[in-house]
Amino acid sequence: MDELVEESSPMPPIRPGMYSGANVVSAPPMQTQYNSPSLSRKPLLNPIETASNTAIVNANKATPKSSHHTPNFFTPLGSPIRKAIQLTKLDPQDAWLPITESRNGNAYYAAFHTLCSGIGIQALILPVAFTILGWTWGIISLTVAFVWQLYTLWLLVKLHESTENGMRYSRYLQLFSATFGEKRGKIFTLFPIMYLSGGTCVALIIVGGSTMKLFYQIVCGGHGCTAKPLTNVEWYLVFTCAAVVLSQLPNLNSIAGVSLIGAVTAIGYCTIMWLVSVTEGRLDGVSYNPVKENDNMAMIFSVLNALGIMAFAFRGHNLTLEIQATMPSTEKNPSHVPMWVGVKVAYAIIAMCLFPLAIGGYWAYGHKIPVNGGMLTAIYQYHGRDTSQFVLALTSLLVIINAVSSFQIYGMPMFDDMESKYTKRKNKPCPWWLRSGFRAMFGFGCFFIAVAIPFLGSFAGLIGGIAVPVTFAYPCFMWLKIKKPKKYGIMWWLNWGLGLSGMILSVVLIAAGLYVVIDTGIEVSFFKPH
């Protein structure tokens, strides 16, 4: 934990052995590279030679104390009573890592990043859940999931900075480890967070590459330019190259414009899809009766699968603390204020996209909604001939741009993790060529997985169930551990209830994923993407 000193001292007290080495700033222990100061945009502390220590001590003794002295640091978040203003030492590694090296974010940037990470392709299959749950339970489940995840998002925003010690927890894994210990952090959150970042990037390559192929067919289909079309693997490679080039932007704040483009395109294709579906009218023979399975066990797992679709439609909690870490924070202007403003704006827009998409899509297609691809497949399957080719091409283009943009923000935690291992070992920032190499290696590593294991999507429900607590359960438990609300009070009951419900939901979704894998089987085909 960072050392705290009072403002009345002109400088931190010197303890024996404090400057015993040649360098004062050294790599922190394992996992403490994630400890964020309140603001790390100040110049890094320069190494102080041992020979100058005596002079520093003498100067400290000779300088009279002054109550008007103002230290050259930004003040971190202090206690509500403000009996004493406390300062935290700077962690140099935060100034070297892509998530925290720039802290000039604002509410607009927060809204852009939250929108880009919160709306995705997974929302396009929401009408599929309605075919199992029906109108009433479908709308109720979607509303409950939306309010639930918005509440846990608020918890994360409030937990980002401590009012007791001024610490800022700039990464999800850091907050969980600080709350429950590093060992539990690695066991319970390391894999889900890596999956939500790396696994999402793999899925984006598959979706983006496939949509590129579709866009090419729409634009060039009638002009004789499809004599030698590219294969699926080649389209994946084209998408990956575009994503890797864009990933060279240095830090999370620098991709705010990219996130804005991703947010606008996501809003665009969601709106186009439900508008086309509604304006074209319902299909003939549409039924809204919930799909019934032959036996009770299959019906139970179908319902669980529908609930899983609702849960997976909301994503981005693994990026909330990282987004908030890009903002400056002082005692008078804590970062949670602009962050929550950005989040509220973003989720108001997300609600205006997801609810019409789910309700309008189910109204138009009913039980005929394609299980694979959802709304994206339905648009081309049912309206490919009677809808303008320009509209179809524009929809595909928006999906592609959104996928490339989303790749950047979901890849950023992985870039940060790779660079932190270098800075921890070498105690210096990554050179530009190594940073570029890390990002290219990650991008083409995701491409290799997408090509080598095309059946990985069959395990999406199983692996997704493991990641559900990151959104629906862990924030509640961390709030209980850190804030310690009054026992048997409203917040105590609410967080225990939601936390336990989130864990139960995770378990049943994992069970449902196993059932689907065992019941339907998996077509194993290495290096043969469909």
Side-chain angles (χ1 to χ4, degrees), residues 89-346:
K89 293 188 300 183
L90 294 176
D91 184 350
Q93 293 213 11
D94 268 347
W96 299 337
L97 299 176
I99 287 177
T100 49
E101 71 177 7
S102 173
R103 291 191 187 269
N104 59 357
N106 51 49
Y108 295 101
Y109 286 13
F112 300 160
H113 291 314
T114 304
L115 268 172
C116 186
S117 61
I119 305 178
I121 301 298
Q122 75 284 351
L124 300 182
I125 60 174
L126 279 173
V128 176
F130 276 66
T131 63
I132 300 171
L133 300 175
W135 278 117
T136 303
W137 287 108
I139 294 176
I140 291 175
S141 300
L142 184 60
T143 304
V144 169
F146 179 82
V147 175
W148 187 353
Q149 60 85 35
L150 188 60
Y151 171 73
T152 57
L153 187 55
W154 176 79
L155 295 181
L156 290 175
V157 171
K158 298 294 286 186
L159 291 173
H160 171 76
E161 44 201 0
S162 172
T163 57
E164 296 179 357
N165 54 33
M167 283 293 296
R168 296 186 67 182
Y169 302 102
S170 301
R171 296 155 185 87
Y172 196 107
L173 179 60
Q174 176 204 359
L175 176 61
F176 192 94
S177 298
T179 306
F180 298 109
E182 292 184 9
K183 185 176 181 180
R184 290 189 180 94
K186 293 178 180 179
I187 294 174
F188 292 106
T189 61
L190 183 59
F191 173 76
I193 290 173
M194 294 297 105
Y195 165 73
L196 289 172
S197 293
T200 300
C201 289
V202 173
L204 289 171
I205 290 176
I206 296 173
V207 172
S210 301
T211 311
M212 276 185 167
K213 180 180 180 180
L214 186 61
F215 175 76
Y216 179 82
Q217 292 173 346
I218 293 173
V219 174
C220 299
H223 299 85
C225 53
T226 57
K228 294 182 179 180
L230 298 179
T231 64
N232 286 339
V233 175
E234 291 169 332
W235 283 116
Y236 292 176
L237 183 60
V238 171
F239 178 90
T240 303
C241 290
V244 168
V245 169
L246 198 57
S247 70
Q248 301 308 314
L249 292 171
N251 54 61
L252 188 54
N253 261 340
S254 66
I255 66 170
V258 176
S259 293
L260 172 60
I261 295 173
V264 171
T265 52
I267 296 170
Y269 72 68
C270 287
T271 304
I272 289 175
M273 286 183 185
W274 73 260
L275 279 177
V276 169
S277 301
V278 171
T279 54
E280 291 292 337
R282 290 185 294 180
L283 299 180
D284 295 333
V286 166
S287 173
Y288 302 118
N289 295 323
V291 176
K292 301 293 184 181
E293 300 292 342
N294 295 329
D295 58 90
N296 292 334
M297 185 61 66
M299 188 63 200
I300 291 173
F301 283 110
S302 294
V303 173
L304 293 177
N305 181 57
L307 295 177
I309 292 173
M310 297 287 187
F312 301 152
F314 301 102
R315 61 180 191 175
H317 283 56
N318 60 307
L319 300 171
T320 301
L321 297 175
E322 286 80 349
I323 295 170
Q324 192 171 349
T326 64
M327 298 181 177
S329 185
T330 64
E331 184 180 16
K332 293 183 178 179
N333 300 292
S335 63
H336 70 81
V337 176
M339 180 65 186
W340 184 239
V341 171
V343 167
K344 287 190 293 185
V345 173

Side-chain angles (χ1 to χ4, degrees), residues 248 422 428-440:
Q248 301 308 314
Y422 175 88
K428 62 180 182 180
C430 274
W432 68 268
W433 56 268
L434 185 59
R435 171 175 279 189
S436 299
F438 279 151
R439 299 182 181 199

Side-chain angles (χ1 to χ4, degrees), residues 412-429:
M412 195 61 70
M414 302 299 294
F415 305 156
D416 188 88
D417 183 66
M418 289 188 289
E419 291 183 31
S420 71
K421 289 179 170 55
Y422 175 88
T423 58
K424 174 181 174 293
R425 180 182 295 270
K426 299 294 185 180
N427 198 26
K428 62 180 182 180

